[in-house]
Amino acid sequence: METLEDYDFDLHYHFGKADVVLDALSRKNYGQLSSLWFREFEINPAIAQSTNPLSPVNTAANRPHLDCNLQPRLWPPAIVFFWATVEQKMTEEEKGVDLLNQLEHILESDPLIDEVGFIHPSQFFILNEEAGGVLPSSNHHLLQSEDGISSFWNRDHKLGISIDILLPLYRAAKNAFMAAIAQYKAHGNPSVKEEKSGDENISCHLESEVMKHSRALLLLSSDFGTAWNSRKLVLSKKQDLSMFMDEFLLSALVLSYSPKSEQAWSHRRWVIKMIAGNYTYLQEVLGKESELVEKIAEKSKMNYRAWNHRCWLVFYMTGEQVLHELDKSRSWAGLHVADNCCFHYRRRLMLRILECSCYKQDPNASSGYNIEIYRVWKEELDWNKMLIERYIGREGLWLHRRFLSLCWIKHFATDGGDLSCHSELKTDANHDISNFLDNEIQYVHSCLAIPSDDFEDVETQAVFSATYILWLTKQMYECEGIELQQKQLIRGGELKILLKKHRPEKSFLWDSII
């Protein structure tokens, strides 16, 4: 008090609960920022500005004047660091929002973008040179952020995004989408009778925001299920065919950088179900879907999700489309014998042919259709035999032959009466069935011959052929009207010796079967 008597000053009482920053600092170590939990306190904006040492309000000219000659206020390093971090975070959020606006502008200005990729910033100059050196300001060819760093590249319906901006861009897209979907759900969906013009305009605006932000988000995170579901929610209420067709463009764009995205393939199936009632558009869509799967299969090998989607499409195909797909996929399967997905697709097509034959009501039509099935199966068997001889030791080809043989035996051996009105074809079919068994036996025994100086693939081919004939033997006994003795297939224990030699780990299995 003796020291303060030399100064003229006024004392003003300040509520302790309002002066939370100084109160916390008086009880905590200045060097431990982690102990200062400022978010737990409710600070009004005026106090926040007065306690921010970096704020313009807290300059020497704007600082509250005290009628004393005290030294300027010194802020602890922890407080300075805290506000610097807050301002840096706000700057990053503003940068992310700016990048999001650029991306959404590109998508709006070029709705036919069919490919998107994430590239290193150093590649932007190369892309610009290859494109002919177009200036960045020309037709949104090369967009840069405020700091001069290239962020997007857009030309010829191709979009490149810099990997350096992915994190702030994703955060901004996610925050914008979550805010939009929250507002959309909060607004609700009043009935058409009760909906006013103002509410209708608000609903359309919110729907537009949800669709816009979800599109940008899905281009950055293909399996963001909430974004896909939000689009389904809006589309199911609109029931607009043009919007459904736009979904095919978006999902194809997502698949261009994430070809195995289950969410994207599932979304395409949902759209097809929604437009299934429109027969004209459906048949056109099915053809484009098959082309898309084949295109993606070329880039992404062994893509189970893509081929599973193509198998799912078979249910909606007509008989003519099934035969066309069977013929079109043959060349691709012949060049990719290691990819069993295509053979699985062909088996699904052939099963669809059998299912359609069961639905035929007209006897004459049914007979003609079965003749077509007979020819399709014979061509498939001959083609499969050619592939087995060309590509030695491929198990997938032998498994495909099992399917063909089983369907051939069960369909033509037990349902031969369907060909009764065509006596010549019936005779040929019965003759072919008996010849089929003889040809299979001879063909398998030709594969059993293994030269001593040959490669391992030939030995594998012999093992596959031996197991195939054992499997075929079991199927013969289960089919009625077909008599086949085991000695006809297994001569002198030749198969048993071969299998034990090359697959000794399964010798117990061979003893129980043979």
Side-chain angles (χ1 to χ4, degrees):
M1 294 298 293
E2 294 178 356
T3 303
L4 294 176
E5 288 178 354
D6 297 334
Y7 298 92
D8 295 328
F9 60 89
D10 295 328
L11 293 176
H12 298 278
Y13 177 74
H14 196 60
F15 290 99
K17 62 180 181 180
D19 201 9
V20 292
V21 176
L22 295 179
D23 187 62
L25 291 175
S26 65
R27 292 169 173 80
K28 299 293 181 180
N29 187 352
Y30 292 160
Q32 295 180 353
L33 181 62
S34 61
S35 63
L36 303 180
W37 296 92
F38 296 106
R39 294 184 180 179
E40 296 182 0
F41 304 99
E42 298 179 358
I43 308 176
N44 58 58
I47 298 177
Q49 285 186 338
S50 65
T51 56
N52 182 1
L54 305 179
S55 175
V57 180
N58 201 31
T59 59
N62 297 327
R63 189 179 296 114
H65 177 71
L66 298 178
D67 297 332
C68 60
N69 297 322
L70 297 176
Q71 294 294 328
R73 189 175 186 179
L74 297 178
W75 294 95
I79 297 299
V80 177
F81 177 77
F82 170 77
W83 285 110
T85 304
V86 171
E87 289 196 352
Q88 182 181 2
K89 183 177 180 181
M90 294 176 62
T91 303
E92 292 179 355
E93 291 179 354
E94 293 175 356
K95 178 183 177 181
V97 173
D98 179 65
L99 292 171
L100 177 61
N101 292 333
Q102 291 187 41
L103 175 60
E104 292 177 345
H105 176 70
I106 293 174
L107 297 175
E108 291 291 340
S109 60
D110 189 2
L112 298 180
I113 295 177
D114 56 7
E115 186 175 358
V116 61
F118 308 108
I119 57 181
H120 193 271
S122 61
Q123 299 298 317
F124 280 96
F125 180 77
I126 299 176
L127 290 174
N128 194 30
E129 289 292 329
E130 294 177 352
V134 183
L135 295 176
S137 59
S138 176
N139 196 24
H140 301 291
H141 176 64
L142 185 62
L143 295 182
Q144 298 178 344
S145 58
E146 295 180 354
D147 53 6
I149 301 177
S150 300
S151 304
F152 302 99
W153 186 90
N154 176 222
R155 182 180 174 86
D156 299 330
H157 307 306
K158 311 297 180 184
L159 175 61
I161 303 177
S162 172
I163 59 176
D164 288 348
I165 66 170
L166 288 181
L167 184 57
L169 181 59
Y170 169 76
R171 288 174 176 171
K174 180 181 178 181
N175 293 335
F177 165 72
M178 297 304 293
I181 191 63
Q183 294 179 5
Y184 177 69
K185 291 182 177 180
H187 183 269
N189 186 28
S191 60
V192 178
K193 295 181 179 180
E194 299 177 356
E195 194 175 64
K196 300 179 181 180
S197 59
D199 293 337
E200 184 178 357
N201 293 335
I202 295 176
S203 297
C204 293
H205 173 72
L206 293 177
E207 289 173 352
S208 176
E209 290 294 302
V210 170
M211 299 296 282
K212 179 176 66 174
H213 295 317
S214 63
R215 176 177 58 180
L217 179 59
L218 289 172
L219 292 182
L220 303 172
S221 178
S222 61
D223 288 325
F224 203 107
T226 305
W228 289 114
N229 293 334
S230 68
R231 300 185 70 86
K232 291 184 178 71
L233 178 62
V234 175
L235 292 169
S236 60
K237 295 177 180 178
K238 288 291 186 180
Q239 293 295 327
D240 188 352
L241 183 61
S242 61
M243 295 182 67
F244 285 125
M245 303 305 291
D246 290 340
E247 292 303 292
F248 287 118
L249 297 177
L250 173 62
S251 55
L253 185 58
V254 172
L255 291 171
S256 67
Y257 80 90
S258 181
K260 295 184 179 181
S261 173
E262 181 62 29
Q263 292 284 351
W265 289 113
S266 177
H267 190 71
R268 295 184 76 88
R269 290 192 287 271
W270 179 83
V271 174
I272 292 175
K273 289 180 181 179
M274 298 299 291
I275 65 172
N278 195 321
Y279 182 81
T280 304
Y281 284 97
L282 178 62
Q283 302 309 312
E284 180 182 354
V285 166
L286 293 179
K288 292 182 178 180
E289 289 294 287
S290 295
E291 294 177 0
L292 175 66
V293 172
E294 192 166 324
K295 178 182 177 181
I296 292 179
E298 284 287 349
K299 298 180 179 179
S300 176
K301 304 301 181 183
M302 310 295 181
N303 193 334
Y304 167 78
R305 291 176 175 84
W307 285 104
N308 180 60
H309 176 75
R310 198 175 186 182
C311 291
W312 180 86
L313 297 173
V314 176
F315 176 78
Y316 294 92
M317 293 182 182
T318 61
E320 291 76 11
Q321 282 184 315
V322 171
L323 293 175
H324 176 70
E325 284 292 316
L326 191 65
D327 182 66
K328 186 174 68 173
S329 61
R330 174 173 295 183
S331 59
W332 198 95
L335 297 175
H336 303 80
V337 293
D339 194 342
N340 191 52
C341 293
C342 187
F343 289 97
H344 177 71
Y345 174 62
R346 293 182 64 82
R347 290 194 285 271
R348 184 66 190 91
L349 291 171
M350 301 185 79
L351 288 176
R352 181 62 177 171
I353 294 176
L354 293 179
E355 292 173 2
C356 292
S357 67
C358 297
Y359 298 148
K360 297 290 183 178
Q361 301 296 331
D362 185 10
N364 294 329
S366 176
S367 175
Y369 202 80
N370 276 276
I371 296 172
E372 183 66 24
I373 297 175
Y374 168 78
R375 291 171 180 169
V376 168
W377 243 262
K378 192 173 186 306
E379 291 177 358
E380 190 75 7
L381 280 166
D382 295 340
W383 176 69
N384 176 259
K385 181 178 179 180
M386 182 268 294
L387 292 179
I388 290 177
E389 294 174 350
R390 179 180 297 178
Y391 302 99
I392 299 176
R394 297 290 183 176
E395 186 178 11
L397 298 177
W398 286 100
L399 294 177
H400 189 59
R401 192 167 191 83
R402 290 190 186 189
F403 165 79
L404 297 174
S405 301
L406 181 61
C407 292
W408 176 279
I409 294 169
K410 290 188 175 181
H411 184 77
F412 295 106
T414 59
D415 299 335
D418 292 338
L419 302 175
S420 57
C421 59
H422 299 269
S423 57
E424 294 181 358
L425 290 173
K426 179 181 179 181
T427 303
D428 292 341
N430 293 333
H431 179 69
D432 284 345
I433 292 173
S434 60
N435 286 339
F436 169 75
L437 302 177
D438 294 336
N439 292 335
E440 290 298 292
I441 295 172
Q442 295 177 4
Y443 179 64
V444 166
H445 281 292
S446 66
C447 295
L448 293 177
I450 306 177
S452 58
D453 57 345
D454 218 324
F455 296 101
E456 182 180 356
D457 289 343
V458 180
E459 297 182 358
T460 306
Q461 179 91 319
V463 174
F464 289 154
S465 62
T467 53
Y468 165 73
I469 205 64
L470 289 176
W471 171 88
L472 186 61
T473 303
K474 182 179 179 181
Q475 303 305 319
M476 296 301 182
Y477 286 128
E478 295 179 356
C479 293
E480 298 180 0
I482 299 180
E483 296 181 357
L484 186 66
Q485 295 182 0
Q486 193 172 3
K487 63 181 180 180
Q488 231 181 331
L489 296 175
I490 307 171
R491 297 180 300 185
E494 183 178 352
L495 293 181
K496 185 175 181 180
I497 297 174
L498 176 68
L499 293 172
K500 281 191 172 185
K501 177 181 178 181
H502 298 286
R503 292 294 185 272
E505 68 276 5
K506 297 183 179 180
S507 58
F508 178 78
L509 177 62
W510 310 137
D511 290 335
S512 60
I513 295 178
I514 304 176

